[in-house]
Amino acid sequence: MSKAAIITLSTLGVLAIGTSLYVNHHQKKTLTANAQTSQQVLTVYTAGPKPLSDQIIHGFEAKTGIKVKSFDGTTGKILSKVKAEQGNSQADVLILASMAAGVDLQKNGQLLTYQLARAKHLNAQFKDASHQLVNYSASAVGITYNTQHIKSAPTDWSDLTTTPYRNQVTIPDPQTSGSSLDFINAYQMKHGTKLLKALQENGADIGGANKEVLDAVITGQKAAVFGGVDYMSLTAIKKGEKIGFVYPKSGTLVNPRPAMILKASRHQAAAKQFIDYLLSAKVQKQIQKSNLIPGTASDLTDPRNGETIKAYTVNWTSANAALTKNVVAFNQVFSR
């Protein structure tokens, strides 16, 4: 063998050893990083529904090895908790039932920008150009009614201002219900307060959060909910409750349910993995089974029959700007 060949082989041997050491070092660093991530405890504040939230969290823990600590509450309670913790933030990820609330956090610079790979699969109406609000699911509002009190199903919002509904309509409180807050705001942007005044004159009142007003109709205390949440009503119907639910023919709000990472998160790598998981095919199927609209759905349809929901077109930046004025107007109508 020539001297040149011997030198070449020797050089290749050194390169091979060096490459092996680099690969082993790189693999060790990756394993160490993964181990550190899996040892983290990710904190998620979620507006439910709790059975779905529990299912998602357990699936994420099983897939990644990352432990999750969760707080379940209404959007109002979550926002109050986040505000109380300012300067000592505990949450990493928020999942809210109000797009307006998410836009407000975004406007205040509290959210982390993250361009996840599956964002391209989101419904066009749910995409956020800033890559901060991940609308992984949506719910719509409509009329929930007691079928023992109301024999002929209502078809539109105005039906609730007629004699059969005198003193029998309840409205979710926008101070506690994120979906009601967005609906009351979007409705007034489109129609003003005329119907709200007619409802008030017909004896409608403000109830509590979504579950409380639904329970009032289930038990027969009230005949109908103005702005009942579809997935909650449809789930109750499946359980055999004597209620019905309709999407009003004149249109309604289909409200994205945004997930977001707080900029103050101490576990941003784990938080990004969680957001990725929300858009996985597995979770999107779980969302559909929970009577919610998947964020990746191509069309906004009734979970029962696939019929298209006539949905309001909402510019959420404009909605955020109009929110305070419309909440004040709503409170004035109902003397609050």
Side-chain angles (χ1 to χ4, degrees):
M1 184 178 293
S2 68
K3 185 175 180 181
I6 292 170
I7 291 172
T8 301
L9 287 173
S10 176
T11 303
L12 288 172
V14 170
L15 287 172
I17 292 169
T19 301
S20 176
L21 288 171
Y22 171 79
V23 170
N24 288 337
H25 176 68
H26 180 71
Q27 289 175 338
K28 186 176 180 180
K29 283 182 67 178
T30 302
L31 289 170
T32 301
N34 289 342
Q36 288 173 344
T37 301
S38 66
Q39 290 169 5
Q40 295 176 2
V41 177
L42 187 71
T43 300
V44 178
Y45 294 176
T46 173
K50 193 174 188 311
L52 175 63
S53 299
D54 290 345
Q55 195 174 28
I56 291 172
I57 287 169
H58 294 155
F60 176 74
E61 289 179 329
K63 179 180 174 63
T64 64
I66 299 170
K67 298 298 181 185
V68 177
K69 178 183 177 182
S70 65
F71 169 79
D72 295 271
T74 63
T75 294
K77 288 181 179 179
I78 289 172
L79 293 176
S80 295
K81 189 169 173 61
V82 170
K83 184 176 181 180
E85 293 170 354
Q86 280 185 346
N88 185 29
S89 181
Q90 301 299 306
D92 298 297
V93 173
L94 306 182
I95 298 176
L96 305 178
S98 167
M99 184 60 172
V103 171
D104 201 53
L105 291 168
Q106 183 181 59
K107 186 179 72 173
N108 293 334
Q110 293 176 254
L111 304 183
L112 185 74
T113 299
Y114 177 48
Q115 191 166 355
L116 69 168
R118 285 184 61 84
K120 61 184 179 182
H121 297 291
L122 284 168
N123 183 288
Q125 296 186 45
F126 296 167
K127 291 182 179 179
D128 171 33
S130 299
H131 304 290
Q132 294 178 338
L133 299 168
V134 180
N135 298 308
Y136 80 110
S137 69
S139 63
V141 296
I143 301 170
T144 307
Y145 63 99
N146 185 296
T147 55
Q148 294 180 311
H149 283 13
I150 304 298
K151 301 304 180 184
S152 180
T155 61
D156 213 345
W157 302 116
S158 58
D159 291 346
L160 302 184
T161 66
T162 60
T163 302
Y165 296 93
R166 178 74 179 167
N167 299 321
Q168 287 296 309
V169 175
T170 185
I171 305 172
D173 190 344
Q175 292 182 357
T176 56
S177 165
S179 58
S180 182
L181 177 71
D182 286 359
F183 168 60
I184 292 299
N185 185 34
Y187 184 89
Q188 288 179 91
M189 289 177 69
K190 190 173 181 66
H191 300 293
T193 59
K194 183 178 179 180
L195 177 68
L196 297 177
K197 290 176 180 177
L199 285 168
Q200 190 275 333
E201 290 169 0
N202 203 40
D205 64 18
I206 310 302
N210 295 310
K211 184 179 183 305
E212 293 166 328
V213 295
L214 175 61
D215 286 345
V217 172
I218 288 174
T219 59
Q221 296 175 47
K222 295 289 183 178
V225 180
F226 173 78
V229 181
D230 57 354
Y231 77 86
M232 296 179 71
S233 300
L234 298 179
T235 299
I237 290 169
K238 284 184 177 180
K239 292 179 179 178
E241 301 293 356
K242 304 300 183 182
I243 61 171
F245 180 85
V246 296
Y247 296 105
K249 64 182 181 181
S250 63
T252 189
L253 176 68
V254 176
N255 192 22
R257 297 169 64 85
M260 63 212 76
I261 303 172
L262 288 178
K263 193 179 286 185
S265 165
R266 300 170 188 174
H267 309 105
Q268 293 184 7
K272 290 175 181 178
Q273 288 187 58
F274 187 84
I275 294 294
D276 284 334
Y277 184 68
L278 290 177
L279 287 192
S280 66
K282 178 180 179 180
V283 170
Q284 291 296 298
K285 287 179 181 177
Q286 291 170 343
I287 288 166
Q288 190 168 28
K289 288 181 179 178
S290 299
N291 298 309
L292 284 161
I293 299 169
T296 57
S298 56
D299 298 302
L300 309 181
T301 59
D302 186 332
R304 296 167 293 188
N305 52 30
E307 292 183 2
T308 300
I309 300 169
K310 187 175 181 180
Y312 298 156
T313 299
V314 181
N315 179 308
W316 288 104
T317 301
S318 299
N320 180 265
L323 185 62
T324 299
K325 179 190 73 173
N326 284 332
V327 168
V328 169
F330 175 83
N331 287 337
Q332 287 175 342
V333 169
F334 289 93
S335 303
R336 299 211 304 173

